[in-house]
Amino acid sequence: MATTSSISSIIDDTLTYVGYDIDDLAENASFEEVVYLLWHRELPTKEQLEELKKQLAENAEIPNEIIEHFKLYPIDKVHPMAALRTAVSLLGLYDEEADVMTKEANYRKAIRLQAKIPTIVTAFARVRKGLEPVAPRKDLSFAANFLYMLTGKEPDDIATEAFNKALVLHADHELNASTFTARVCVATLSDIYSGITAAIGALKGPLHGGANEAVMKMLTEIGTVDNVEPYIRRKLANKEKIMGFGHRVYRKGDPRAKHLKKMSEKLTKLVGEPHWYEMSTKIEEIVTLEKALPPNVDFYSASVYHCLGIDHDLFTPIFAVSRTSGWLAHILEQYDNNRLIRPRAEYTGPGKRAYVPIDERG
Ligand SMILES: CC(=O)SCCNC(=O)CCNC(=O)[C@H](O)C(C)(C)COP(=O)(O)OP(=O)(O)OC[C@H]1O[C@@H](n2cnc3c(N)ncnc32)[C@H](O)[C@@H]1OP(=O)(O)O
Ligand SMILES: O=C([O-])CC(=O)C(=O)O
């Protein structure tokens, strides 16, 4: 065990947020309720929820300098996760409280970050297409507002419900690589912006959050249900990894995957593209049979986001929008009971030796 935490737990392949089963939360909770739960360790009352929603809505706008910065680099060649990483770091420069380390100031910064990250992601997505960013609306839920800022159109209930559920499912996951990164960073008593910037960097990799985009790339390459079998068997024979499968902690399966699978079935039919779901289930069949590896959260989320009309390279930034809530909960928990995180390495290099002057080296 690397640390103690009272935020989320994975025990016998069951995931809970502060004691509430993820299945229960996925079916019933709004993302805003989950944010409150992760940050306060209790579900909110109606008043507490309204207050949080108000604070998030009031803080959703981003400095214009962030948008101007998007125009300073070759935006069409930049991955949105790289842009998000830089934008969050930049955001810290415009926060006068960035280095104020009181509990109250850190909570205010948590609100500001959670509120602004969706605005950054959606503004980037539009600016790179030559479109104007869409200002956040105060009357929409967190999920609906994201889709609204992305497209400029108010989403229907099906899209909002699916997106909300995806946000709930991705919000926290114990000591995953990006959360651990955030905790290591702020345990030096560095600021929240540094912690979230570091976490985004860790989430970006394809062995972690980046896997959802990689899954969609694989599905696109495969193209048809008939191609699944030869494609997957070839990959396995070459000892290549199948993205969206396997997990360091779960053994029998990731409890989040079944919710995304159900959504994928429904949405792929609804948009008239059932082949994404059919290909996915066929891949699952083969990988489970050949490698005994079940799908993780990233596998079916790919086809879900695709059906919501989201660009494939925005899948991981959307993961970050949700996981920011968990990162922030862990950062605040780390500050509350801080000790520098400094593991040791088992040394495997040569034994002690004498320095050899450069002219004598052969
Ligand atoms: C939100 C998240 O971060 S969920 C994870 C998202 N990442 C992915 O989906 C990427 C694909 N999956 C993986 O790379 C891994 O399963 C991980 C990184 C998630 C977990 O890795 P670990 O538990 O450390 O397993 P590790 O990578 O050491 O693999 C163990 C064995 O299983 C195999 N294996 C693990 N995952 C896969 C996979 N997805 N496809 C094929 N083989 C796999 C490895 O090749 C290795 O085989 P070997 O012993 O014959 O060399
Ligand atoms: O916990 C992990 O190692 C990865 C994961 O599933 C997550 O971060 O959601």
Side-chain angles (χ1 to χ4, degrees):
M1 296 290 168
T3 188
T4 58
S5 176
S6 63
I7 304 168
S8 60
S9 76
I10 306 168
I11 299 170
D12 294 336
D13 284 10
T14 297
L15 169 64
T16 62
Y17 294 169
V18 204
Y20 293 97
D21 196 298
I22 193 65
D23 293 343
D24 218 358
L25 293 169
E27 291 307 330
N28 299 300
S30 69
F31 178 65
E32 293 91 322
E33 276 181 283
V34 166
V35 173
Y36 190 97
L37 175 65
L38 297 175
W39 293 2
H40 298 274
R41 315 290 196 275
E42 289 296 344
L43 284 170
T45 61
K46 270 190 191 148
E47 292 73 29
Q48 288 165 335
L49 183 60
E50 282 319 304
E51 179 58 23
L52 176 68
K53 282 182 173 176
K54 188 166 153 266
Q55 289 174 336
L56 290 173
E58 279 172 357
N59 283 282
E61 287 192 9
I62 55 175
N64 201 41
E65 286 85 346
I66 304 278
I67 292 166
E68 289 308 310
H69 192 259
F70 289 153
K71 299 174 186 166
L72 294 179
Y73 50 80
I75 192 165
D76 52 326
K77 296 189 179 66
V78 168
H79 194 282
M81 276 301 272
L84 178 63
R85 184 194 59 215
T86 299
V88 167
S89 181
L90 192 58
L91 195 61
L93 305 186
Y94 296 97
D95 189 333
E96 288 178 5
E97 285 195 310
D99 288 314
V100 181
M101 296 301 271
T102 62
K103 200 174 166 73
E104 294 74 21
N106 280 329
Y107 187 79
R108 286 194 292 274
K109 283 178 275 180
I111 294 274
R112 290 200 278 273
L113 265 159
Q114 187 65 58
K116 291 183 200 308
I117 283 187
T119 319
I120 293 173
V121 171
T122 53
F124 175 86
R126 291 181 68 84
V127 171
R128 71 171 170 173
K129 290 182 175 165
L131 301 168
E132 280 300 308
V134 172
R137 262 177 47 185
K138 290 194 170 71
D139 59 322
L140 296 176
S141 68
F142 193 91
N145 195 40
F146 181 91
L147 296 173
Y148 168 71
M149 288 193 289
L150 191 62
T151 62
K153 289 189 223 81
E154 215 178 297
D156 62 25
D157 288 349
I158 294 177
T160 303
E161 198 191 306
F163 197 67
N164 178 74
K165 202 176 275 196
L167 293 177
V168 168
L169 290 167
H170 286 83
D172 195 46
H173 210 247
E174 203 225 46
L175 217 53
N176 62 85
S178 53
T179 302
F180 187 60
T181 302
R183 289 190 79 127
V184 169
C185 179
V186 301
T188 67
L189 293 183
S190 187
D191 67 292
I192 285 192
Y193 288 94
S194 300
I196 299 292
T197 304
I200 292 169
L203 188 73
K204 181 171 177 281
L207 295 188
H208 188 16
N212 54 13
E213 181 187 345
V215 168
M216 203 62 224
K217 184 167 177 273
M218 171 175 74
L219 291 174
T220 308
E221 268 170 21
I222 296 173
T224 66
V225 179
D226 285 348
N227 284 341
V228 167
E229 181 115 25
Y231 181 99
I232 296 295
R233 289 203 186 281
R234 192 173 57 245
K235 282 223 165 214
L236 291 178
N238 290 341
K239 297 212 168 304
E240 286 176 57
K241 281 187 168 172
I242 312 298
M243 288 308 181
F245 286 87
H247 200 277
R248 179 63 67 83
V249 181
Y250 294 120
R251 283 297 153 251
K252 292 194 290 287
D254 183 332
R256 301 165 295 180
K258 61 179 177 294
H259 295 282
L260 291 153
K261 183 175 181 177
K262 231 164 93 182
M263 278 197 270
S264 168
E265 182 176 21
K266 180 174 160 183
L267 292 175
T268 52
K269 271 195 198 131
L270 203 74
V271 302
E273 299 180 29
H275 63 289
W276 300 117
Y277 178 73
E278 288 157 14
M279 278 195 277
S280 302
T281 52
K282 182 94 188 141
I283 296 170
E284 181 181 350
E285 208 181 287
I286 300 169
V287 178
T288 310
L289 189 77
E290 296 297 326
K291 301 288 291 185
L293 287 171
N296 58 49
V297 71
D298 287 316
F299 188 61
Y300 285 100
S301 62
S303 45
V304 167
Y305 295 145
H306 172 80
C307 291
L308 293 174
I310 294 167
D311 291 343
H312 300 170
D313 61 359
L314 295 178
F315 294 1
T316 314
I318 285 170
F319 194 155
V321 165
S322 167
R323 184 56 60 86
T324 294
S325 63
W327 292 333
L328 288 165
H330 280 266
I331 286 173
L332 297 177
E333 185 180 55
Q334 185 67 40
Y335 284 146
D336 273 349
N337 187 16
N338 190 54
R339 190 170 185 221
L340 184 80
I341 300 171
R342 200 295 190 194
R344 296 295 312 272
E346 189 185 330
Y347 177 66
T348 58
K352 215 169 169 197
R353 34 192 193 163
Y355 177 80
V356 181
I358 194 158
D359 294 340
E360 294 168 27
R361 282 175 227 157

